[in-house]
Amino acid sequence: MQAQITTTKLIKMKQDGEKIVALTAYDFPFAKIVADAGVHVILVGDSLGMVVQGGTSTLPVTMDEMLYHTRIVARGAQGAMVVGDMPFMSYQAGLTQAVENAGRFLKEADAAAVKLEGGADVSDVIAAITAAGIPVQAHIGLTPQSVHQMGGFKVQRDEERLLDDARKVEAAGAFSVVLEGIPGDISKKITDTLNIPTIGIGAGPDCDGQILVLHDMLGLNDRHLPKFVKQYARLADAAREAVADYAKEVADGSFPADEHCY
Ligand code: KIV
């Protein structure tokens, strides 16, 4: 088991030029696999609305669903830092709402930090949550909760705005920032500008770390994958084959065999 990953360790990794490895997870068995492989940060992403619940966006995901998944991930995430993703409308309606909901991730679900989407526009929210002693990971660029405002899941290219967002979330107290769907040259400028680590997804190789959605990189679903995803396995194919073998053996009577019987 790796030594417990903390916010200060992540900042030290950036200073030492050591890449940060992050992945999402949504349940106990996968959290254990991911942590055992030495992944530093496990994000319980609201992407579960798409890859676990089968929705077309992250917008319907609720606080109760996020707390449930974060709690069961935390049980398997030995040593990795568990970050709970604040769902749509759990932090947008006011600072009190935001601090209370962020606190629930630590009190009720054993997360070590929360993540929320937005740049300069949510810097007051980041400051309020951080002031309550709760570490915040920011998320700028392509922010899926704003899919309707962005007019789709689109790469974000406004360099001036992205740099301003990055500076403001750092100044507000974020310990790290996710850069999603940003051209590599802009991500590099942001990474070179900030003291806190940048974690990229579709943001090129020069971020301080990388994150992918677990179900995408493991080939666990058939949904359309963005260009930035590399599939490291095809688990859906393996699962389909196993289930088909089982169905065939039940049908032809070869399962259960003698060794499976009392
Ligand atoms: O919800 C999520 O999984 C995320 C990552 C893609 C960064 O926000």
Side-chain angles (χ1 to χ4, degrees), residues 26 45-61 65-66 117 142 144-145 147 153 180 213 215-216 220-224 226:
Y26 313 100
D46 65 354
S47 51
L48 69 84
M50 298 169 81
V51 300
V52 174
Q53 297 175 338
T56 53
S57 82
T58 59
L59 300 183
V61 177
E65 289 164 350
M66 289 307 306
E117 295 182 9
L142 194 172
Q145 292 176 12
V147 58
F153 296 102
E180 179 165 355
V213 169
H215 287 41
D216 291 346
L220 261 170
N221 59 47
D222 300 324
R223 76 178 180 124
H224 166 76

Side-chain angles (χ1 to χ4, degrees), residues 24 26 43 45-47 85 115 139 178 180 201 211 213:
T24 68
Y26 313 100
L43 170 69
D46 65 354
S47 51
D85 206 5
K115 178 174 83 59
H139 180 163
V178 170
E180 179 165 355
I201 173 161
I211 186 164
V213 169

Side-chain angles (χ1 to χ4, degrees), residues 18 22 33 56 61 78 88 92 97 99-100 112 117 136 142 145 156 159-160 169 195 215 227 237 247:
E18 194 185 336
I33 290 167
T56 53
V61 177
Q78 303 296 316
F88 181 56
Q92 289 90 342
Q97 179 218 29
V99 174
E100 280 175 0
E117 295 182 9
V136 178
L142 194 172
Q145 292 176 12
Q156 303 297 301
E159 179 173 330
E160 205 178 313
V169 299
N195 293 310
H215 287 41
K227 174 185 163 106
D237 291 344

Side-chain angles (χ1 to χ4, degrees), residues 39-94:
V39 168
H40 303 112
V41 178
I42 300 182
L43 170 69
V44 188
D46 65 354
S47 51
L48 69 84
M50 298 169 81
V51 300
V52 174
Q53 297 175 338
T56 53
S57 82
T58 59
L59 300 183
V61 177
T62 66
M63 267 303 292
D64 285 343
E65 289 164 350
M66 289 307 306
L67 292 174
Y68 168 77
H69 284 278
T70 304
R71 198 177 302 122
I72 61 177
V73 163
R75 288 185 194 141
Q78 303 296 316
M81 173 188 271
V82 175
V83 180
D85 206 5
M86 297 192 71
F88 181 56
M89 289 317 296
S90 70
Y91 57 94
Q92 289 90 342

